[in-house]
């Protein structure tokens, strides 16, 4: 890994044949799905890219999901996920929700399928089979809070 040795600017080497790639920025993250909300719900989200790893952070506060049905998705991730094999997925993140309802002990896990820029969610827990995280788990449709941090490869 490149680094500073002894004096400022001296490098210990190079990773492979290229130097370390580092980037920070924003992107527009839009709540989507098979039948998205009646009104577009988009937020400015943040990312940090180091080499091929991308860490994204999305925060939806007090949003309305009226009219939405089917699986919850977030479209517009800043980079396409790496595809090792068709249909593979990356699961590495955290989700916080408020005013969504699902069974006690249920875990909501974000994932991205290789070759896409869409963040999807699965649920599991208490011996239950893995399923989707759906808008139907939103009882009243308004004032939803949804926060996601997710790490994936490009």
């Amino acid at each position: 890994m490149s680094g500073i040795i002894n004096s400022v600017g001296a490098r210990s080497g190079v990773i492979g044949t290229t130097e370390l790639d580092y980037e920070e920025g924003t992107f527009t993250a839009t709540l989507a799905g098979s039948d998205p909300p009646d009104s577009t719900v988009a937020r400015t989200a943040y990312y940090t890219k180091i080499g091929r790893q991308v860490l994204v952070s999305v925060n939806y506060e007090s949003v309305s999901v009226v009219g939405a049905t089917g699986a919850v998705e977030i479209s517009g991730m800043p980079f396409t996920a790496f595809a090792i094999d068709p249909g593979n997925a990356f699961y590495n993140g955290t989700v916080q929700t408020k005013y969504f309802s699902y069974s006690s002990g249920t875990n909501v896990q974000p994932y991205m399928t290789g070759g896409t820029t869409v963040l999807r969610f699965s649920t599991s827990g208490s011996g239950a089979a893995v399923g989707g995280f759906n808008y139907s788990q939103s009882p009243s449709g308004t004032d939803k809070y949804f926060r996601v941090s997710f790490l994936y490869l490009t």
Side-chain angles (χ1 to χ4, degrees), residues 8-151:
V8 175
R11 290 183 289 156
S12 61
V14 179
I15 300 173
T17 57
T18 61
E19 294 203 28
L20 188 62
D21 174 28
Y22 180 88
E23 180 181 336
E24 292 181 341
T26 61
F27 64 100
T28 301
T30 304
L31 279 180
S34 50
D35 192 5
D38 291 341
S39 299
T40 301
V41 180
R43 294 292 186 267
T44 298
Y46 301 89
Y47 74 88
T48 301
K49 182 175 183 282
I50 303 173
R52 294 181 49 222
Q53 295 185 21
V54 181
L55 175 64
V56 297
S57 178
V58 183
N59 187 17
Y60 296 97
E61 289 192 23
S62 193
V63 299
S64 170
V65 294
V66 170
T69 61
V72 176
E73 298 178 349
I74 299 175
S75 63
M77 293 297 109
F79 302 95
T80 302
F82 177 66
I84 298 170
D85 295 313
N88 73 317
F90 295 100
Y91 291 85
N92 192 0
T94 60
V95 177
Q96 296 176 322
T97 64
K98 185 175 182 182
Y99 303 122
F100 280 85
S101 62
Y102 38 86
S103 301
S104 177
T106 299
N107 297 312
V108 179
Q109 180 67 45
Y111 72 94
M112 282 181 76
T113 302
T116 70
T117 57
V118 177
L119 189 59
R120 295 178 172 92
F121 302 88
S122 66
T123 58
S124 64
S126 301
V130 172
F133 182 57
N134 296 306
Y135 285 109
S136 63
Q137 292 163 312
S138 171
S140 65
T142 59
D143 285 337
K144 303 302 167 201
Y145 293 80
F146 192 68
R147 295 179 180 94
V148 180
S149 292
F150 185 71
L151 179 69

